């Protein structure tokens, strides 16, 4: 039973329960937000031909891995306050092209498209943009950032924690394996919940003074900026000069357009109606992706020990996608998976 502090009883049980329900909903949206970035990032990653653009592929892989971690952290927070993550659902996978969940960057339309520098600049860097950068190139305001979205969640967690104990969820549902950042950790109180969300923000955006996250890796925004600018981000070698403390003047990151499959943008099931082989390959991919989501649903609803099975399912997706990406669907363009939900 949740008990309100006496000085806050005048707010009423209904107000407390209503706000707690709203917080659970917002955390579900956060899970969907983190996932919504994964298909576009994977589509671009899969469009890189084998053994081509290796440094860029590594950067994108590292971002995808952390997006999976962020989903896990959101699920841990939601489970900690007695919620139930919903991942095995046809509504969990967004439509592409489309908006990000939670009205984040609400003017941005996110596509499934082959990797290009323009895609990185116009979409990936906008998704991950901080309120303020450390490279002297502040992005223009364009709706709320992911960091601002999470700031609202942090405020509500703290406000509700002052009203009573909201951390009533079963600790057995906490995922504390699979990612180094989760080892022997879990969300049990306000402090650990806020720390989990801070990790999400810092890994995506960095901080106002550094592009590095707490694990000393570049935040997602700057990883994608390295791809766009074609240079590693380094500390300014001339800090006494009135220029940004970090500059894109490190070693070159080569982008070879010939090492990218010319995949179509935003495919859907109708794209392959005239090609039974591509339709079958697309169905196979979608079944595998949907099966991975079902496994993740189990992981975050009482079976955290099954994470390895879910990650194993994900590892096979690249090969399936690239089977499609090697086949023309129209002259000069190859096919790509649609990331549709297929019921079990």
């Amino acid at each position: 039973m949740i008990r309100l502090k006496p000085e806050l009883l005048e707010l009423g049980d209904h107000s407390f329960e209503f706000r707690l329900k709203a917080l659970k909903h917002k955390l579900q949206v956060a899970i969907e937000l983190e996932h919504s970035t994964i298909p576009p990032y994977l589509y671009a990653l899969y469009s890189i031909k084998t053994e081509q653009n290796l440094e860029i592929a590594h950067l994108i892989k590292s971002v995808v891995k952390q997006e999976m971690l962020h989903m896990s952290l959101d699920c841990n927070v939601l489970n900690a306050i007695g919620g139930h993550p919903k991942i095995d659902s046809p509504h969990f996978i967004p439509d592409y092209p489309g908006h990000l969940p939670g009205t984040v960057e609400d003017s941005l339309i996110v596509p499934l498209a082959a990797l290009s520098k323009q895609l990185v600049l116009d979409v990936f860097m906008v998704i991950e943009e901080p309120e303020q950068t450390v490279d002297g190139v502040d992005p223009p305001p364009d709706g709320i950032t992911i960091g601002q979205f999470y700031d609202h969640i942090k405020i509500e967690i703290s406000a509700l924690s002052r009203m009573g104990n909201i951390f009533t969820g079963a600790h057995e549902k906490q995922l504390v394996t699979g990612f180094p950042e989760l080892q022997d950790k879990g969300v049990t109180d306000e402090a650990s919940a806020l720390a989990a969300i801070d990790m999400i923000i810092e890994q995506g955006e960095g901080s106002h003074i550094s592009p590095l996250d707490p694990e000393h890796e570049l935040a997602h925004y700057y990883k994608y900026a390295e791809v766009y600018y074609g240079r590693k981000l380094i500390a300014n070698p001339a800090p006494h000069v009135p220029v940004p403390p970090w500059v894109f003047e490190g070693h070159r990151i080569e982008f070879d357009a010939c090492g990218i499959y010319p995949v179509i943008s935003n495919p859907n099931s109708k794209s392959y109606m005239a090609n039974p082989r591509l339709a079958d390959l697309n169905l196979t991919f979608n079944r595998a992706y949907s099966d991975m989501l079902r496994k993740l649903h189990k992981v975050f609803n009482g079976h955290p020990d099954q994470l390895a099975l879910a990650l194993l399912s994900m590892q096979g997706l690249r090969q399936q996608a690239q089977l499609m990406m090697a086949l023309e669907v129209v002259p000069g363009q190859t096919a790509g998976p649609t990331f549709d939900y297929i019921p079990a």
Side-chain angles (χ1 to χ4, degrees), residues 22-64:
L23 175 59
K24 290 176 181 177
H25 171 73
K26 194 138 194 177
L27 283 165
Q28 174 64 34
V29 174
I31 296 167
E32 295 170 8
L33 173 62
E34 297 298 339
H35 166 263
S36 72
T37 67
I38 293 176
Y41 293 169
L42 286 180
Y43 198 89
L45 174 63
Y46 296 157
S47 73
I48 301 175
K49 296 178 182 178
T50 304
E51 300 302 320
Q52 302 294 314
N53 293 300
L54 292 177
E55 188 167 6
I56 292 174
H58 175 76
L59 287 170
I60 299 177
K61 283 179 185 177
S62 69
V63 172
V64 171

Side-chain angles (χ1 to χ4, degrees), residues 260-264 325 327-335:
I260 306 296
Y261 286 109
V263 298
I264 60 172
M325 292 181 172
L327 300 174
E328 278 195 340
V329 61
V330 294
Q333 287 190 297
T334 59

Side-chain angles (χ1 to χ4, degrees), residues 236-274:
N236 179 15
H240 59 283
V241 179
V243 292
W246 296 81
V247 289
F248 292 96
E249 294 182 4
H251 75 254
R252 289 189 179 277
I253 299 176
E254 299 294 340
F255 177 82
D256 180 8
C258 294
I260 306 296
Y261 286 109
V263 298
I264 60 172
S265 297
N266 304 314
N268 57 55
S269 57
K270 294 180 181 178
S271 303
Y272 309 126
M273 289 179 63

Side-chain angles (χ1 to χ4, degrees), residues 6-19:
E7 64 269 23
L8 294 168
L9 283 174
E10 66 271 15
L11 294 175
D13 287 354
H14 175 74
S15 174
F16 181 85
E17 295 294 347
F18 179 82
R19 289 177 65 177

Side-chain angles (χ1 to χ4, degrees), residues 86-103:
K86 300 178 183 68
I87 297 174
D88 181 15
S89 166
H91 306 294
F92 187 74
I93 304 177
D95 294 326
Y96 300 102
H99 296 283
L100 294 170
T103 68

